[in-house]
């Protein structure tokens, strides 16, 4: 029996490539007493049967940085360990079989420029030159990336394991973890059949078993295994050596050459999830039954795309398990509610090409106590409790696999595992012809189909595209109603956190960068900062009484913000935070006619003197009660009405009946987003994140460095704000308006300053009032460069390889003084 150490600084669970990378990087940054426990043998879960593709361009700047860092590590790791990884940078070629896919590839090419990856948009003939086996039928063009390639996944994993051992990590095989020990909200170690290890940190890198290991600690880790298929041909002298990796996403296939053979893998549209029982407890190097019938269509398409497949035989059919998450994103970071228990799992079939950078990012996160790059989209705190439900995972994961190679259309919504969470007024929205989207499991109206369109036989269903989508004019009408009339948004999914106790103010003063020592009935917009001045949350604080506050945040951020609040509440504070999201509906009445509509319905005066911006009051409306908050995320006069759920239908019906005389329009999330972009309001997870300094994000107006010191000290991040003010900024978040009304912006487009790429858009959309697309993005510049100097430059935004002149502004291009909202 293996003899285990009794103590370790960190225990890493899982000997796949991610776990080995995490252990290696912890040791590399100086951690001693690191132990890696593998339930069977190194690589024996998923890593051993991975295809070994190495790509360096992903869907975001962060993931691209991680992928590039991973590729750069491979030669260094080979030199350090002597393990040959079979790394070849033979490039990759992606084919487009439609104009939509070609637009996507062109946008990827532009994104590559912004992120420092060499890309080439190529013609069909150039595709043939790069890969002479390809049949060009229906090929519109392609994207060639020279630095991409392939690697032997098992050898790469062994290289990380050897590198970890050489740096002092104890790698122990055949040691399955059977329990996670914790006390007082902090992990304390692990148990195994061979004994317990007391540890300060535990990292769940268990791959296929990541959800089960999370469950040992009471932590939801939403992932589940799916079947993943590939075939390998017989060798042939007719197969050129060193071909680039070929991807044909429209046919759900990837192809790589290896030793004169072809490996053809698939991400079929209808993936097959695996119930837990399909993975035996003792599984090691697990293979699953062949299923030629399941892949009949994909195999036929591959044979037409590569005619050589009709002449050479298939040597083997492989089916193995790989873990997928509901949203196709990794699960990284410290688990909410359990200090020092970290997760790095759910890599959705791209673990080989990203494990190096991900392991480094995780090690840095553990060292500094927070991420060193923007990992918001992959942070475990984005996950909702129901995401770990087994029935939910079985329903969603097959689609998640299928979306891997599907068109990555903007606004695309999942089709499976829907209807889990309904707004209190869901039936009203159905009756109003809403098209729904999924936000943190909530069914939220994205837009509404007008009655005249329904009369023409249209349905409230989206037709996805990179160009103007079918709902474009309907969102435009909702947008214009907000700007010129009055609209109602159902914001009931907004996260609501009640903070109570005699120390509630002191706790929030420590956490909030703005001053929340306000009178009851007032609202404060505030960021929450980390020690580096990065933005951890973006929300409003509403004071209900001397000892009661309501924090309002986005539906996707409520778990994250609740975890941050609880983590930074001192143990001796008389203060408790509770998620009350489900207790109240929120109806936002917005637009210049909102006062005219609401004034006759409520029992308080709504003029500016009696009800100023940033205030809230309890009001009677119909026969119900609500809190009316004068606040806005769209930049117009308006009120958010917080209504007890049991009264929501009555209040909604009262407003809709009265609204008919004022032209009241129902508006969805898409119009909310286009309005906020037009007003240059930031969106957390896109425009601002934990690695974006609050001053460079243009939110210094919401920071009060001179506010009174609360009982628990200065607010978190104050010193970093003062230091950055002294040193000067090195980038600024800028709003851009395209000069041409035709191109569309969605985010990740390159920002070009005086002919040089200096950044990329963090978000984008169409500004229907301004008449063209707008976007937000950080412009990097020399430290201390003035705002005036930044704006004196000539700007363009590169959209799908075409550079479009753009107006740049550090003030909102719509209503820069907020006179409309505050009047």
């Amino acid at each position: 029996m293996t003899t285990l150490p009794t103590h370790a600084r960190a225990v890493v669970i899982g000997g796949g490539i991610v776990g080995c990378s995490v252990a290696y990087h912890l040791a590399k940054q100086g951690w001693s007493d690191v132990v890696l426990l593998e339930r069977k043998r190194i690589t024996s879960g998923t890593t051993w049967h991975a295809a070994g593709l190495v790509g360096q361009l992903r869907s975001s700047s962060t993931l691209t940085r991680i992928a590039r860092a991973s590729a750069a590590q491979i030669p260094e790791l080979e030199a350090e360990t002597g393990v040959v990884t079979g790394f070849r940078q033979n490039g990759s070629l992606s084919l487009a079989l439609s104009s939509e896919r070609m637009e996507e590839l062109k946008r990827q090419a532009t994104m590559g420029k912004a992120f420092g990856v060499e890309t080439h948009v190529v013609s069909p003939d150039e595709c043939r030159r790069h890969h002479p086996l390809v049949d060009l039928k229906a090929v519109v063009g392609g994207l060639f990336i020279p630095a991409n390639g392939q690697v032997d996944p098992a050898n790469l994993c062994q290289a990380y394991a050897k590198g970890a051992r050489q740096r002092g990590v104890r790698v122990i095989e055949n040691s399955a973890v059977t329990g996670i020990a914790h006390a007082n909200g902090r992990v304390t170690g692990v148990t195994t059949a061979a004994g317990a290890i007391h540890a300060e940190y535990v990292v769940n890198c268990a791959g296929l078993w990541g959800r089960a290991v999370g469950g040992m600690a009471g932590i939801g880790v939403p992932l589940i295994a799916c079947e993943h298929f590939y075939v390998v041909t017989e060798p042939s002298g007719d197969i050129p050596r060193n071909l680039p990796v070929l991807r044909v996403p429209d046919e759900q296939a990837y192809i790589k050459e290896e030793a004169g053979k072809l490996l053809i893998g698939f991400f079929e549209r209808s993936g097959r999830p695996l119930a837990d029982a399909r993975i035996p407890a003792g599984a090691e190097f697990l293979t699953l039954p062949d299923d030629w019938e399941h892949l009949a269509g994909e195999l036929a398409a591959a044979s037409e795309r590569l005619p050589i497949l009709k002449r050479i035989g298939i040597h083997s059919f492989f089916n193995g398990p790989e873990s997928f998450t509901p949203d196709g994103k990794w699960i990284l970071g410290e688990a909410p509610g359990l200090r020092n228990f970290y997760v790095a799992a759910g890599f959705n079939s791209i673990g080989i090409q990203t494990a190096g950078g991900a392991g480094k990012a995780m090690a840095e996160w553990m060292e500094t106590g927070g991420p060193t790059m923007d990992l918001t989209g992959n942070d475990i705190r984005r996950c909702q409790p129901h995401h770990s439900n087994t029935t939910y995972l079985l329903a969603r994961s097959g689609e998640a696999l299928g979306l891997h190679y599907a068109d990555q259309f903007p606004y695309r919504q999942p089709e499976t595992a829907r209807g889990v969470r309904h707004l209190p007024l869901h039936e009203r929205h159905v009756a109003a012809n809403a098209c729904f989207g999924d936000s943190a499991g909530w069914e939220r109206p994205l837009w509404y189909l007008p009655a005249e369109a329904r009369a023409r036989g249209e349905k409230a269903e989206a037709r996805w595209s990179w160009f103007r989508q079918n709902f474009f004019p309907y969102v435009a009408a909702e947008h214009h109603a907000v700007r010129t009339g009055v609209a109602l948004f159902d914001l009931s999914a907004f996260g609501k956190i009640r903070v109570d106790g005699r120390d509630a103010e002191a706790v929030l003063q420590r956490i909030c960068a703005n001053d929340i020592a306000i009178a009851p009935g007032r609202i404060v917009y505030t960021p929450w900062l980390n020690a580096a001045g990065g933005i951890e949350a973006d929300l409003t604080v509403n004071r209900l009484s001397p000892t009661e506050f309501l924090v309002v945040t986005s539906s996707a951020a409520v778990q994250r913000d609740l975890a941050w609040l609880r983590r930074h509440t001192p143990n001796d504070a008389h203060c408790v935070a509770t998620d009350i999201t489900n207790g109240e509906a929120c109806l936002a009445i917005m637009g210049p006619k909102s006062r005219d509509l609401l004034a006759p319905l409520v029992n308080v005066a709504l003029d500016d003197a009696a009800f100023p911006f940033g205030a809230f009051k309890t009001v009677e409306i119909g026969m119900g009660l609500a809190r009316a908050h004068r606040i806005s995320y769209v930049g117009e006069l308006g009120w958010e009405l917080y209504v007890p759920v049991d009264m929501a239908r009555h209040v909604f019906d009262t407003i809709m009946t009265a609204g008919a005389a004022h032209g009241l329009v129902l508006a969805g999330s898409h119009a909310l987003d286009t309005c906020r972009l037009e007003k240059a309001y930031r969106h957390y997870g896109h425009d601002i994140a934990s690695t974006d300094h609050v001053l460079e994000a243009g939110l210094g107006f919401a920071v009060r460095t001179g506010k009174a010191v609360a009982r628990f000290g200065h607010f978190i991040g104050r010193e970093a704000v003062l230091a950055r003010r002294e040193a000067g900024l090195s980038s600024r978040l800028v709003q851009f308006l395209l000069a041409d009304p035709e191109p569309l912006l969605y985010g990740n487009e390159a920002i070009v300053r005086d002919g040089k790429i200096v950044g990329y858009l963090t978000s984008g959309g169409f500004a229907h009032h301004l008449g063209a697309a707008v976007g937000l993005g950080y412009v990097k510049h020399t430290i201390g460069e003035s705002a005036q100097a930044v704006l004196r430059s000539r700007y363009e935004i590169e959209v799908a390889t075409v550079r479009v002149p753009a107006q740049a502004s550090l003030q909102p291009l719509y209503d820069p003084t907020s006179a409309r909202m505050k009047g």
Side-chain angles (χ1 to χ4, degrees), residues 90-164:
N90 46 322
S92 72
L93 175 66
S94 295
L95 301 183
L97 307 185
S98 69
S99 59
E100 291 282 4
R101 183 71 73 173
M102 196 65 226
E103 176 73 8
E104 180 178 304
L105 294 184
K106 288 179 179 178
R107 286 178 176 268
Q108 289 179 3
T110 285
M111 187 173 68
K113 294 179 187 178
F115 299 164
V117 177
E118 181 185 353
T119 61
H120 301 278
V121 175
V122 293
S123 68
D125 286 342
E126 290 171 308
C127 291
R128 170 70 61 73
R129 284 197 290 272
H130 284 298
H131 203 296
L133 299 182
V134 167
D135 186 292
L136 295 179
K137 181 180 179 181
V139 172
V140 178
L143 180 65
F144 182 70
I145 303 178
N148 286 351
Q150 57 199 71
V151 71
D152 183 305
N155 281 8
L156 180 59
C157 183
Q158 293 289 357
Y160 277 114
K162 183 176 181 180

Side-chain angles (χ1 to χ4, degrees), residues 376-421:
T376 307
N378 299 282
D379 194 320
I380 188 174
R381 292 173 294 176
R382 80 186 187 278
C383 301
Q384 304 299 309
H386 76 277
H387 286 166
S388 296
N389 176 287
T390 305
T391 303
Y392 173 88
L393 288 169
L394 287 170
R396 173 62 63 81
S397 57
E399 183 186 16
L401 182 151
L403 289 173
H404 195 82
Y405 271 3
D407 293 274
Q408 302 302 302
F409 292 128
Y411 315 122
R412 184 166 189 159
Q413 297 292 315
E415 298 176 2
T416 57
R418 297 289 296 271
V420 181
R421 307 174 81 183

Side-chain angles (χ1 to χ4, degrees), residues 93-429:
L93 175 66
S94 295
L95 301 183
L97 307 185
S98 69
S99 59
E100 291 282 4
R101 183 71 73 173
M102 196 65 226
E103 176 73 8
E104 180 178 304
L105 294 184
K106 288 179 179 178
R107 286 178 176 268
Q108 289 179 3
T110 285
M111 187 173 68
K113 294 179 187 178
F115 299 164
V117 177
E118 181 185 353
T119 61
H120 301 278
V121 175
V122 293
S123 68
D125 286 342
E126 290 171 308
C127 291
R128 170 70 61 73
R129 284 197 290 272
H130 284 298
H131 203 296
L133 299 182
V134 167
D135 186 292
L136 295 179
K137 181 180 179 181
V139 172
V140 178
L143 180 65
F144 182 70
I145 303 178
N148 286 351
Q150 57 199 71
V151 71
D152 183 305
N155 281 8
L156 180 59
C157 183
Q158 293 289 357
Y160 277 114
K162 183 176 181 180
R165 289 189 187 98
Q166 291 176 172
R167 293 177 179 273
V169 175
R170 287 198 62 180
V171 178
I172 304 174
E173 297 179 295
N174 297 304
S175 295
V177 170
T178 57
I180 306 294
H182 52 92
N184 301 317
R186 184 180 293 269
V187 75
T188 58
V190 303
T191 57
T192 76
I197 303 176
H198 297 282
E200 185 180 352
Y201 294 84
V202 174
V203 193
N204 176 3
C205 301
L208 299 173
W209 298 272
R211 182 162 52 93
V213 170
M216 297 176 187
I219 300 299
V221 181
L223 58 80
I224 199 166
C226 290
E227 298 181 65
H228 185 57
F229 304 89
Y230 59 74
V231 298
V232 180
T233 71
E234 298 285 357
S236 171
D238 293 334
I239 299 174
R241 298 298 193 269
N242 214 36
L243 287 171
V245 173
L246 179 67
R247 293 181 175 87
V248 193
D250 293 306
E251 295 172 344
Q252 300 84 51
Y254 61 86
I255 300 99
K256 75 166 187 175
E257 178 272 329
E258 187 72 52
K261 297 179 285 187
L262 295 177
L263 181 151
I264 305 104
F266 304 96
F267 289 99
E268 67 277 18
R269 295 199 188 280
S270 298
R272 296 215 307 213
L274 287 165
D276 293 342
R278 294 280 308 280
I279 302 179
E284 180 183 16
F285 302 110
L286 176 67
T287 61
L288 300 166
D290 296 352
D291 193 336
W292 294 91
E293 183 178 350
H294 178 67
L295 291 180
E298 287 79 8
L299 286 166
S303 295
E304 295 299 321
R305 187 60 53 201
L306 296 176
I308 193 174
L309 297 179
K310 299 176 181 179
R311 296 188 285 107
I312 59 177
I314 298 297
H315 177 271
S316 57
F317 184 111
F318 183 84
N319 179 9
E322 293 194 9
S323 60
F324 284 81
T325 63
D327 60 3
K329 298 178 181 179
W330 309 337
I331 303 173
L332 300 179
E334 187 180 31
L338 187 58
R339 295 297 305 275
N340 289 357
F341 182 76
Y342 285 80
V343 180
F347 278 75
N348 300 283
S349 203
I350 61 168
I352 302 302
Q353 60 187 287
T354 54
K360 183 173 186 292
M362 182 57 58
E364 291 172 349
W365 193 332
M366 295 169 66
E367 173 73 18
T368 64
T372 54
M373 60 178 67
D374 177 16
L375 291 166
T376 307
N378 299 282
D379 194 320
I380 188 174
R381 292 173 294 176
R382 80 186 187 278
C383 301
Q384 304 299 309
H386 76 277
H387 286 166
S388 296
N389 176 287
T390 305
T391 303
Y392 173 88
L393 288 169
L394 287 170
R396 173 62 63 81
S397 57
E399 183 186 16
L401 182 151
L403 289 173
H404 195 82
Y405 271 3
D407 293 274
Q408 302 302 302
F409 292 128
Y411 315 122
R412 184 166 189 159
Q413 297 292 315
E415 298 176 2
T416 57
R418 297 289 296 271
V420 181
R421 307 174 81 183
H422 286 140
L423 303 177
L425 297 165
H426 180 77
E427 290 77 14
R428 299 293 195 272
H429 299 305

